[in-house]
Amino acid sequence: MTIHAQAIRKLAPANYLLIEEEHVRLGKLLHDLHETCCNLDNLLSCHSCSSAKIASCRGRLPSYIHDLIDLIDMHFYHEESIMLSRPQVTVEYKYFRTHRQAHDNIMQELKSIAGECNSLDKLERTAEGYRHFYKKISDLFEEHDRCFDDPFIQSTKV
Ligand SMILES: [Fe+2]
Ligand SMILES: [Fe+2]
């Protein structure tokens, strides 16, 4: 994450601010999952919580998933637009195509994750749904930053 933060500063100020703000929003959304589910960092079920708390968690899970998909969809659009605004980058450019393909793959993956979380919730395994959501999203974006965003941002130095 440190390398990512350093690399990002090399972008034009407006682009830097936009990408930084969206990465912060993604981090905040993941952080909010901790505020909601008491069992995110353990393996307990919802039986350790009151029925009111369980109802609130169940109600909020679909909103988190919906907000995340919206945020990521917009973020990928912005990132691709910023890439294409660079002089040497076109839609045919290999690194643009592979990066965009990775975004498309993540969007597909997000839809699968959403379905898996809903299924867990329907089985009253809501805490497991939260943990699944948190872990999958964290891993996906850690890998994406390392493989695509960081190298792209580093390339804006030249
Ligand atoms: Fe990206
Ligand atoms: Fe990004």
Side-chain angles (χ1 to χ4, degrees):
M1 233 21 197
T2 312
I3 294 168
H4 193 61
Q6 282 169 354
I8 252 179
R9 294 196 176 89
K10 306 295 181 184
L11 288 171
N15 292 339
Y16 158 69
L17 280 175
L18 181 67
I19 288 192
E20 187 196 45
E21 188 192 291
E22 288 168 350
H23 284 171
V24 167
R25 283 176 63 194
L26 173 62
K28 186 176 177 320
L29 201 143
L30 290 175
H31 175 78
D32 287 349
L33 296 177
H34 273 104
E35 306 273 287
T36 303
C37 177
C38 319
N39 296 323
L40 204 65
D41 296 322
N42 60 46
L43 294 174
L44 295 177
S45 70
C46 298
H47 294 115
S48 55
C49 294
S50 69
S51 52
K53 172 76 178 141
I54 295 170
S56 150
C57 287
R58 293 193 72 178
R60 292 174 81 176
L61 186 56
S63 320
Y64 281 128
I65 295 171
H66 179 270
D67 289 353
L68 180 106
I69 290 178
D70 265 9
L71 170 63
I72 298 308
D73 195 28
M74 184 178 67
H75 177 60
F76 287 167
Y77 172 75
H78 287 152
E79 222 170 69
E80 288 167 21
S81 305
I82 289 166
M83 276 187 266
L84 286 173
S85 72
R86 298 193 61 78
Q88 75 281 26
V89 180
T90 67
V91 285
E92 306 302 329
Y93 190 62
K94 183 182 167 215
Y95 294 101
F96 175 78
R97 281 193 286 115
T98 51
H99 195 156
R100 183 164 68 180
Q101 186 60 53
H103 287 170
D104 292 347
N105 294 346
I106 289 180
M107 290 311 291
Q108 287 301 319
E109 188 91 20
L110 290 181
K111 286 173 193 154
S112 305
I113 295 167
E116 289 154 11
C117 291
N118 281 333
S119 302
L120 286 168
D121 181 52
K122 282 200 181 95
L123 295 168
E124 301 191 1
R125 289 157 62 185
T126 308
E128 220 178 303
Y130 271 88
R131 286 193 289 269
H132 185 68
F133 183 60
Y134 182 83
K135 173 93 174 79
K136 285 277 191 174
I137 303 300
S138 303
D139 289 352
L140 268 179
F141 284 92
E142 209 175 287
E143 192 197 352
H144 184 76
D145 280 354
R146 195 178 60 247
C147 297
F148 292 97
D149 284 13
D150 293 346
F152 158 63
I153 292 160
Q154 288 285 357
S155 78
T156 68
K157 285 199 246 179
V158 289

